[in-house]
Amino acid sequence: MPNLVAMLEILVAFSILCVAAVRSSDPQLFNVLSYGAIGDGAFGKAWDDLCGSTSNYVVLQIPNGKSFFLEPVNFKGPCKPSHLQVQIDGNLTAPTKPGDDNEGIQNWIQFVSLEGLVVNGSGSINGQGFAWPPHCKRPTALVFHNCNNLQILGLQSFNSPRNHISISSCNYVRLSNVYLSAPETSPNTDGIDISESTNIRIQESVISTGDDCVAINSGSSNINIIRITCGPGHGISIGSLGHHESYATVEDVHVSSCTFIGTQNGARIKTWQGGSGYARNITFKDIILESVNRSIIIDQFYCPHKTCPSERMAVKISSVRFAGFYGTSLDRRAISLNCSQTIGCTNINLDNVNITAATPSEKPYASCINAHGMAYNTSPPVPCLIH
Ligand SMILES: *[C@@H]1O[C@H](CO)[C@@H](O)[C@H](O)[C@H]1NC(C)=O
Ligand SMILES: *[C@@H]1O[C@H](CO)[C@@H](O)[C@H](O)[C@H]1NC(C)=O
Ligand SMILES: *[C@@H]1O[C@H](CO)[C@@H](O)[C@H](O)[C@H]1NC(C)=O
Ligand SMILES: *[C@@H]1O[C@H](CO)[C@@H](O)[C@H](O)[C@H]1NC(C)=O
Ligand SMILES: *[C@@H]1O[C@H](CO)[C@@H](O)[C@H](O)[C@H]1NC(C)=O
Ligand SMILES: *[C@@H]1O[C@H](CO)[C@@H](O)[C@H](O)[C@H]1NC(C)=O
């Protein structure tokens, strides 16, 4: 008799193991189509079931061959499963004007407080940004807040009314093969905005917008951007930092093998007067420029409103390297390093920079105020650096 009990116990243990094994390899699927009408809270209902599931691997499926009505949706955690995937293969299309349900919304799709999320797919999010009146609040297409070990793979976002992707308070994020597009004239349509986040890798993506291609804001460190094509738009920006006399920090940012086509700026660091903190250990390396208005910019007097009070404090900019820049500039002033008299910029280094004018008869030049460092094999020459 005791033997039988032992055998039963072994059997039970074994079947639990089997179920566990099956669960880790075969995901439990939550197809939004089985949650009723499209655009009727189906995504939210599917998410609630997925998030509370006892499986450890779950997938929310937004299948292809379908167009879905985009509603504001908040995919919120924490969730029970350890592997969460959102597979977006269908197209999500926003209404052409704000409706009663979504007037004043800040985001279309929001992912909050999730661990180990993968957002993948061949689908698209069409924000219909052109249809939003300029005076009304315009939503960001995709927001990731407080997500760790996050992967964003292969998505497309068109015509977001505001930023395409915002990443805040996230740690360990990989984003690859993403395609973001909005007209050159569309206001505030940043491609990817990063703030208060660490260990971010953005790679193999194409971003055409009316504002920054990638913007790296305060609280961010260890950011790697590799093989991105930007343009049109405002280039890859660090900042703006130190607005309203704030303390801002950005460090360990490395941008390499990127191409800028017809952008207003290439590599830019911008800080407001009156702020404090630092931007340091920043590299832009192996950059190709095609008709970029201004290729290399450090601006410690950032002031988009035309009048800003003059202040002594500034966010300190140090240890910045621009290496291997090659291509053409639209503006004759191809390089502009404009640092404050009180704080200045230190250890600013350029090497192997060769920028020629997009109009062959013109000769580009560099301007430089209160920047200290070295320039090696750099054309046009940068006056205040040691050549
Ligand atoms: C989804 O969007 C893509 C890209 O715009 C388009 O090629 C495709 O035809 C769309 N599919 C459907 C079902 O609307
Ligand atoms: C991502 O989605 C594509 C289809 O769009 C699929 O082929 C691929 O296997 C998915 N990758 C992962 C890691 O889920
Ligand atoms: C600069 O950043 C790199 C990469 O994040 C890091 O390995 C290196 O230690 C940093 N250097 C300094 C001086 O902080
Ligand atoms: C180039 O930059 C300068 C200075 O910022 C600006 O005045 C000019 O309008 C820009 N040109 C284009 C084509 O963006
Ligand atoms: C640098 O910034 C100061 C303060 O805004 C401005 O007066 C000056 O014209 C700028 N210099 C250059 C070369 O852009
Ligand atoms: C810079 O690039 C131009 C255009 O390709 C080329 O003619 C020139 O020789 C290069 N200069 C240096 C110093 O490499």
Side-chain angles (χ1 to χ4, degrees), residues 100-163:
D100 296 340
D101 302 345
N102 52 37
E103 203 166 357
I105 59 158
Q106 291 188 15
N107 316 305
W108 279 121
I109 303 181
Q110 189 168 211
F111 295 92
V112 180
S113 299
L114 296 163
E115 299 284 330
L117 171 69
V118 177
V119 180
N120 177 31
S122 56
S124 66
I125 293 152
N126 189 340
Q128 311 255 50
F130 57 87
W132 290 69
H135 57 269
C136 77
K137 217 174 199 168
R138 298 162 69 92
T140 293
L142 276 165
V143 170
F144 298 90
H145 178 72
N146 191 26
C147 293
N148 300 324
N149 298 309
L150 166 68
Q151 295 187 65
I152 305 162
L153 313 168
L155 284 182
Q156 304 170 74
S157 170
F158 301 104
N159 298 319
S160 177
R162 202 180 161 81
N163 298 346

Side-chain angles (χ1 to χ4, degrees), residues 339-354:
C339 299
S340 85
Q341 196 181 353
T342 44
I343 306 288
C345 306
T346 54
N347 197 18
I348 309 299
N349 299 299
L350 276 70
D351 62 89
N352 295 303
V353 171
N354 181 3

Side-chain angles (χ1 to χ4, degrees), residues 326-327 353-356 377 379:
Y326 186 80
V353 171
N354 181 3
I355 304 169
T356 54
N377 198 16
S379 173

Side-chain angles (χ1 to χ4, degrees), residues 156-177:
Q156 304 170 74
S157 170
F158 301 104
N159 298 319
S160 177
R162 202 180 161 81
N163 298 346
H164 287 261
I165 296 179
S166 289
I167 297 170
S168 61
S169 302
C170 293
N171 194 8
Y172 290 102
V173 178
R174 185 163 70 94
L175 183 149
S176 73
N177 292 290

Side-chain angles (χ1 to χ4, degrees), residues 301-317:
F301 299 93
Y302 182 67
C303 175
H305 327 306
K306 303 283 174 252
T307 55
C308 293
S310 158
E311 312 225 25
R312 288 179 57 80
M313 297 278 282
V315 176
K316 172 86 182 155
I317 298 175

